[in-house]
Amino acid sequence: MRLSRYFLPTLKEDPKEAQIASHRLMLRAGMIRQSSAGIYSWLPMGFKVMKKIEQIVREEQNRAGALEILMPTMQPADLWRESGRYDDYGKEMLRITDRHERDMLYGPTNEEQVTDIFRSHVRSYKNLPLNLYHIQWKFRDEVRPRFGIMRGREFLMKDAYSFDLDYEGAKTAYNNMFVAYLKTFSRLGLNAIPLRAETGPIGGDLSHEFIILADTGESEVFYHKDLLTLETPTETNYTAEELQGIVDKWTSYYAAADDMHDPANCDVSEADLVSRRGIEVGHIFHFGDKYSKAMGATVAGPEGKDVVVSMGSYGIGVSRLVGGIIEASHDDDGIIWPESVAPFNVGLINLKSGDEACDAACEDFYGKLTNLDIEVLYDDTSGRAGEKFANMDLIGLPWQATIGPRGVKSGVVEVKNRATGEKQELGLDDALQLLAGRN
RNA sequence: CGGGGCGUAGCACAGCCUGGUAGUGCGCUCGCUUUGGGAGCGAGAGGUCGCAAGUUCGAAUCUUGCCGCCCCGACCA
């Protein structure tokens, strides 16, 4: 992509409403545009990153055996009356009346909707286990949206819902998602920590939040320092026992958010206990028959009797992750994208656009990178060097390749690693090889 | 929802107290000079001063009402 043909409205100065790094940087890097409080348009580069995150989430859900569907954003109130949540939910739920005076709502979540789909199509235990997920926009009318995309009112979420015959099955479904989450966050370049979460009135121990570490995190977390040294599982088809083993291992280390942390009850020595701030990016939850019972989601069991299915739900905040990743990975100059979600792999800087030799060298290099399926943002504009460098640092592409009059003469390109700041002058072929190897 | 603050050009702001033809910096357009970390000079474009009513000869400025946005707290992916 040539920058001269792209839409990347970057800002030199900080918009005053942006208080935290991700919000500030997303606005400055031209990723989003606020429409109203907590509601944003996604501009090309922001959208591209979000789509990459979404795709990684999707691939790991698919690998885990979940099936993608798409449920609507607008839901009928009647479904929510069945579960009793229409009255319970409060003002966070955006209620809308259609032209026929029917009560509708913009979905803040989809348990009712998916349970309705399940009960009307699944009759036998033989069709279980089943896990349906979708990646869809949700709306929660937060009293006070803030932090840009991190806590907006409209947000993109992946929600998976599992259906099993009994608790044992549901537990395996839960463990399966637990492991899928470890893989997902690892691929996103994040250190995610599973925290035991409040299970509310349902009880049990099957609820975990996944948080990523960032200084601006919303809550304080405490965890055993060895937790971050655990290896992320990589295989695809684990047995129920293997899944349980992985989950047991990951949950054997102490990890708690401030609301669950009790110093008196924490057996980790002070030297091993780490305290940092975290951002919640995922939540998995077993809720048993809460919705299936209220809404009559049953299947015929092996003995021919109807059984109320056991359910769980598993969310990942896809749009929130865009901000979350920036919170976890930036410096004073701008964003530092992990390679897996970077909008482009390489930023190619032409230091003297209009200079025949420079243009030719850049065009050649650009073509070669593109032919290797490397996504390149080629700054072919007539801007000044400093401006181009600063802009490239701001948008945070993992690699920068700079070609200027000086380098053209000696046939070299300067390659800079955005994360480490390390620069090296390489011949064109060596530079290609380096960048291709990283792709 | 309690408390506080702010709405003036794409962005950041001054002007308001003490009413009198709407400004500065950055960005944008054109020209010349520059050119390896956010250049210089010159010439331009761009604003219903959030909206409405009121006071006044005259309102960005004073009064009232409304709307929007931000921050702290409580609450949440």
Side-chain angles (χ1 to χ4, degrees), chain A residues 60 63 179-187 232-233 235-236:
Chain A
E60 291 303 326
R63 271 177 79 191
V179 170
Y181 275 34
L182 293 176
K183 295 176 187 169
T184 303
F185 294 124
S186 167
R187 280 186 66 188
T232 303
E235 300 298 314
T236 298

Side-chain angles (χ1 to χ4, degrees), chain A residues 153-261:
Chain A
R153 292 194 289 173
E154 189 182 50
F155 52 97
L156 187 65
M157 279 206 65
K158 184 283 297 181
D159 276 289
Y161 301 94
S162 66
F163 302 87
D164 286 272
L165 192 60
D166 52 27
Y167 177 77
E168 276 310 304
K171 191 168 183 181
T172 297
Y174 181 91
N175 290 341
N176 186 36
M177 281 291 117
F178 188 110
V179 170
Y181 275 34
L182 293 176
K183 295 176 187 169
T184 303
F185 294 124
S186 167
R187 280 186 66 188
L188 292 172
L190 296 168
N191 285 316
I193 297 178
L195 301 180
R196 179 158 304 173
E198 203 61 72
T199 49
I202 294 161
D205 58 354
L206 294 186
S207 177
H208 286 88
E209 286 176 8
F210 285 77
I211 60 106
I212 57 177
L213 301 174
D215 295 337
T216 48
E218 65 224 330
S219 56
E220 190 165 19
V221 297
F222 302 85
Y223 59 93
H224 192 288
K225 67 174 172 53
D226 290 347
L227 189 50
L228 284 183
T229 65
L230 286 177
E231 276 194 30
T232 303
T234 52
E235 300 298 314
T236 298
N237 290 307
Y238 290 109
T239 63
E241 290 70 30
E242 288 168 334
L243 288 171
Q244 188 66 59
I246 296 167
V247 172
D248 285 346
K249 191 167 80 179
W250 279 77
T251 53
S252 66
Y253 290 92
Y254 186 86
D258 41 16
D259 58 329
M260 297 283 278
H261 178 62

Side-chain angles (χ1 to χ4, degrees), chain A residues 398-400 414-425 434 438:
Chain A
W399 295 91
Q400 296 171 16
E414 182 186 275
V415 177
K416 172 178 157 181
N417 180 299
R418 177 63 180 88
T420 64
E422 187 193 345
K423 296 177 193 168
Q424 43 187 324
E425 295 216 325
L434 171 66
R438 291 294 182 151

Side-chain angles (χ1 to χ4, degrees), chain A residues 96-115:
Chain A
I96 297 165
T97 308
D98 73 10
R99 68 193 299 166
H100 301 293
E101 299 293 315
R102 281 185 290 243
D103 292 331
M104 308 289 288
L105 57 100
Y106 193 123
T109 182
N110 296 77
E111 280 83 3
E112 285 80 357
Q113 196 94 44
V114 77
T115 303

